[in-house]
Amino acid sequence: MNVSSLATSLREEARRTNERRLLVLAGNRDEGSELARNALAAAGIPEKATAQVGPQRIVDCERVSQRQAGELLGTTHEAVVFDAHDELRPNALGRVVGAVDGGGLFVLLTPPLDAWPTRRDDFDATLAVPPFGVEDVTGNFRRRFVSLLRDHRGIAIVNADSETVEDDGLTHPAPRLADTDHEGAPEHATLNEFPRAAADACLTDDQLSAVSAFEALREPNTAVVAEADRGRGKSSAAGIAAACFAADGDDVLVTARSYRSAREVFVRAAALLDSMGELADTDHDPPTRITVNSGGTVRYEKPTDVIERVGPKGQRNERVGPKGQRNTHDGPEDRQRDHADVVFVDEAAALPVRMLERFLRFSRVAFTTTIHGYEGAGRGFSVRFRDRLDEGDHDVSDVALAEPIRYAPGDPIEVWAFRALALNARPAVDPLVTDATPDGAEYRALDADDLLADENLLRETFGLLVLAHYRTEPADLARLLDAPNVAVRALRWNGHVVSVALLAREGDLPADVREHMYDGGRVKGNMLPDVLTTQLRDFDAGIPVGMRIMRIATHHAVRSSGLGSCLLAEVRRECSDLDWLGTGFGATPELLRFWRENGYRTVQLSTTRNDASGEYSALMFDPISSSGNDLYERHTRRFAGRIASVLSDALADMDPDVVRESLRATDADVETSLTDWEWRLVAASAYGPGQFDHGPAPFRRLVVKQLVDPDDSDALSQRQERLLVRKVLQAHRWPAVADELGFHSPGEAMRALGAAFQPLVDAYGTDAAMEEKRRYSD
């Protein structure tokens, strides 16, 4: 069988079963490219129905690089040609494999398969962080990838150099009734409130069920959660519902980690509104803003932009909408800028839980999420967020979409992609680990050989990382298997992974690399030395050797049982020959407490929010050697010295509880060093008629002393500490402080501030302070 006849047979079988087939052309790139053109022609696939991912044009069709692969999200093609000769980016593959329609071909161009794992490509270069070189990167990810290409059904492999067929990839399925084409919902299908056109726009019964579930959002204080694997039409269902709400005059806000993730929502919404004669205007093609004749809108905003405008208490002014539902606006300008009638959070699992919680301040909100996908893990969303959703004030409806739209259930290429990219990796089922304890758990170093030899171990390990962290993606699987600076440590219970840490070795950088970094150059990996060098101007920060905990995850069935802390203790014992342990993460009070309780101390807070998490990042250290301790001490001392000025400027909007926990986790000696006049000023404000606003500087030094280096850490209540943070350190205006902290008036907040300084004057005050105090006590 030659390649042309093979392509014809693969195409015929794919169309007959409404599945996809994968054709691997391994060998010389030029030979593979020629065979790809011949195969597509023989299969009867027009060039314009094809998309290509790669650096060189093979056929006359849309072409993107692997870095731009996200542009194919939401599109469908009869064929996709993926050139992996220069590099194989796992994220790019995950983004485009779903773009092939049922009956289509995915064509993969590769070097010779036997030699491919030993070659180093451009993606490998991204894994080689100093002081390691690309030659130190292993080929484990591609070795596993090649093995799975050869093992899975529906994958044809051709030696492009000799034009010989190593595996025809034909599955020879038993005859079955052909699937009927999706031509909208059945005639009898109806929706309770949405128009018939919305039902007609649905392609499967599952999609119709999802649109029906979204109807619940017509009522206030409702939430809908729609979960599905990729390609099931959940975003399209959200787009249909969004169009119906906009047609009713609602302002519909759509948000997602990036617009491309939500693109299908807008494409489907615009198409339905156009068919209904309701479409007034769009800003782009595809649109990011749709205007409807009724005055309704469908618009996109970044998640970070949305939550920044939601008030600290989520206050909303209600108005009655066109059908009696209550909405939340002050007026037309506020409606477009600060609020929305209905909010759709698309690919919600790609956002951190703390950010998702902010969306619960909207009365009518929907979350759609992918169960198995590079965008995030629906299981993680379920475990980490659903409890908080269910505990809230919303009436919650759930809907799941199982039936694929683009291809038949059980499609072999979907099965292969899930396994090759570990998209379906998951932790051990709960009953196997619910009795796990730190004392009985086994500490293990899991190297790549261990993980490759035991597929279940790999699935449990990577699945736990996916479940626990919203940003884990297919590239992390390659990093875990191949990067020379990355290590995996785990606790196992009866052979099952219950806690796992992903570690990155950093530091030990030569002088020329440190010089490059000090001058503003980027150095891959080495996050902690990079920040300390480039931002905090410490030329020697890259000399000590440390281990950064990139991720740590504990099985959800045994959280809060001490397993995570046990794992960190074991890692510290193993790393006793290093200089430091460190970590960096989006700061929340809970995480800061966890790391503080495990011996880590704050050395830096970022001054900009992370676009993905919406949080400010915290860097924390646990020094080990004298060299690591020197590094730690100079930075924690500098942090304590500068933090007051940063909090009144770049970090003025940081959550006060994050500030409190960050400073509590700072281990530095703080001297108040107030003059007699400054002590009189503070004491008069605490016990007499003095006012904080006349000279804030000494008050700030006292607050930093109490939060970082207190004589009595219980001297103030949590509310008093929040008051000191918001007013003294972050310089918020009195009315805003009073409103946020629940004081009846700014005057009451002022009096409370004076009372909060009384124990500080008593604890740290000099004779001058005591003399001033006595003036108002006698």
Side-chain angles (χ1 to χ4, degrees), residues 34-88:
E34 181 65 26
L35 289 178
R37 285 189 288 269
N38 294 340
L40 294 174
I45 299 176
E47 290 185 336
K48 296 301 182 184
T50 303
Q52 183 192 334
V53 182
Q56 301 177 5
R57 188 170 299 281
I58 295 175
V59 292
D60 185 17
C61 66
E62 178 183 6
R63 180 177 65 86
V64 297
S65 69
Q66 291 193 39
R67 291 179 181 272
Q68 301 167 320
E71 295 181 13
L72 297 183
L73 282 172
T75 66
T76 55
H77 305 271
E78 293 184 40
V80 169
V81 179
F82 191 102
D83 184 347
H85 277 272
D86 289 344
E87 61 179 347
L88 175 62

Side-chain angles (χ1 to χ4, degrees), residues 27-238:
N28 179 273
R29 170 185 268 153
D30 292 339
E31 299 296 336
S33 298
E34 181 65 26
L35 289 178
R37 285 189 288 269
N38 294 340
L40 294 174
I45 299 176
E47 290 185 336
K48 296 301 182 184
T50 303
Q52 183 192 334
V53 182
Q56 301 177 5
R57 188 170 299 281
I58 295 175
V59 292
D60 185 17
C61 66
E62 178 183 6
R63 180 177 65 86
V64 297
S65 69
Q66 291 193 39
R67 291 179 181 272
Q68 301 167 320
E71 295 181 13
L72 297 183
L73 282 172
T75 66
T76 55
H77 305 271
E78 293 184 40
V80 169
V81 179
F82 191 102
D83 184 347
H85 277 272
D86 289 344
E87 61 179 347
L88 175 62
R89 290 181 175 268
N91 289 356
L93 185 67
R95 286 171 179 147
V96 303
V97 71
V100 181
D101 210 354
L105 298 182
F106 189 87
V107 182
L108 179 64
L109 276 62
T110 76
L113 293 184
D114 288 339
W116 195 15
T118 65
R119 298 189 180 190
R120 294 296 159 262
D121 64 17
D122 292 346
F123 176 72
D124 292 332
T126 69
L127 304 180
V129 304
F132 299 99
V134 70
E135 67 279 0
D136 297 308
V137 177
T138 64
N140 293 313
F141 175 81
R142 284 199 301 278
R143 187 172 297 112
R144 177 177 180 271
F145 188 83
V146 168
S147 174
L148 293 176
L149 285 174
R150 286 174 164 155
D151 289 348
H152 269 264
R153 58 190 292 273
I155 300 176
I157 299 176
V158 174
N159 183 320
D161 298 329
S162 62
E163 298 190 26
T164 56
V165 176
E166 296 183 6
D167 189 326
D168 63 18
L170 298 170
T171 63
H172 305 289
R176 65 181 183 184
L177 292 175
D179 293 335
T180 57
D181 292 335
H182 293 302
E183 296 179 352
E187 290 186 6
H188 65 273
T190 59
L191 295 163
N192 293 328
E193 299 286 347
F194 290 162
R196 171 70 200 187
D200 291 341
C202 296
L203 299 179
T204 65
D205 289 340
D206 276 358
Q207 198 173 61
L208 182 67
S209 297
V211 174
S212 178
F214 288 133
E215 287 184 305
L217 296 174
R218 297 178 63 82
E219 298 298 324
N221 298 319
T222 52
V224 176
V225 176
E227 292 187 330
D229 281 334
R230 290 184 65 193
R232 270 62 179 174
K234 65 184 181 309
S235 293
S236 294

Side-chain angles (χ1 to χ4, degrees), residues 279-339:
L279 184 64
D281 191 22
T282 60
D283 59 348
H284 301 97
D285 184 20
T288 60
R289 182 183 181 85
I290 301 170
T291 305
V292 185
N293 291 331
S294 65
T297 55
V298 183
R299 57 191 173 89
Y300 172 79
E301 284 194 61
K302 291 170 56 179
T304 48
D305 291 341
V306 177
I307 66 171
E308 282 179 4
R309 292 200 300 271
V310 177
K313 295 182 182 178
Q315 306 98 326
R316 293 186 291 265
N317 297 310
E318 293 188 336
R319 70 171 175 85
V320 178
K323 301 248 177 168
Q325 67 269 31
R326 290 199 171 272
N327 299 319
T328 55
H329 312 305
D330 289 323
E333 180 181 351
D334 184 62
R335 172 176 178 172
Q336 298 301 323
R337 183 168 52 87
D338 288 338
H339 298 292

Side-chain angles (χ1 to χ4, degrees), residues 6-22 40-46 49 77-79 100-105 170-171 173 176-181 406-408 411-412:
L6 172 61
T8 301
S9 298
L10 289 170
R11 170 74 159 165
E12 289 176 351
E13 187 173 271
R15 297 183 74 170
R16 188 168 65 252
T17 59
N18 191 32
E19 296 175 345
R20 287 100 43 90
R21 295 295 181 264
L22 171 56
L40 294 174
I45 299 176
H77 305 271
E78 293 184 40
V100 181
D101 210 354
L105 298 182
L170 298 170
T171 63
R176 65 181 183 184
L177 292 175
D179 293 335
T180 57
D181 292 335
R406 297 173 186 165
Y407 40 79
D411 171 71

Side-chain angles (χ1 to χ4, degrees), residues 347-420:
E347 296 302 350
L351 301 177
V353 169
R354 194 169 175 85
M355 180 181 284
L356 293 173
E357 289 177 335
R358 297 288 290 272
F359 289 105
L360 296 180
R361 295 172 180 178
F362 291 96
S363 176
R364 302 153 63 195
V365 58
F367 302 92
T368 70
T369 187
T370 301
I371 297 175
H372 302 125
Y374 72 93
E375 302 96 335
R379 299 183 312 281
F381 169 85
S382 299
V383 170
R384 292 177 286 120
F385 178 61
R386 278 309 302 267
D387 287 346
R388 305 185 194 191
L389 178 59
D390 293 337
E391 291 168 359
D393 297 330
H394 291 75
D395 291 328
V396 183
S397 302
D398 293 275
V399 63
L401 295 83
E403 183 180 357
I405 288 179
R406 297 173 186 165
Y407 40 79
D411 171 71
I413 306 311
E414 181 178 77
V415 175
W416 163 79
F418 277 7
R419 188 176 176 193

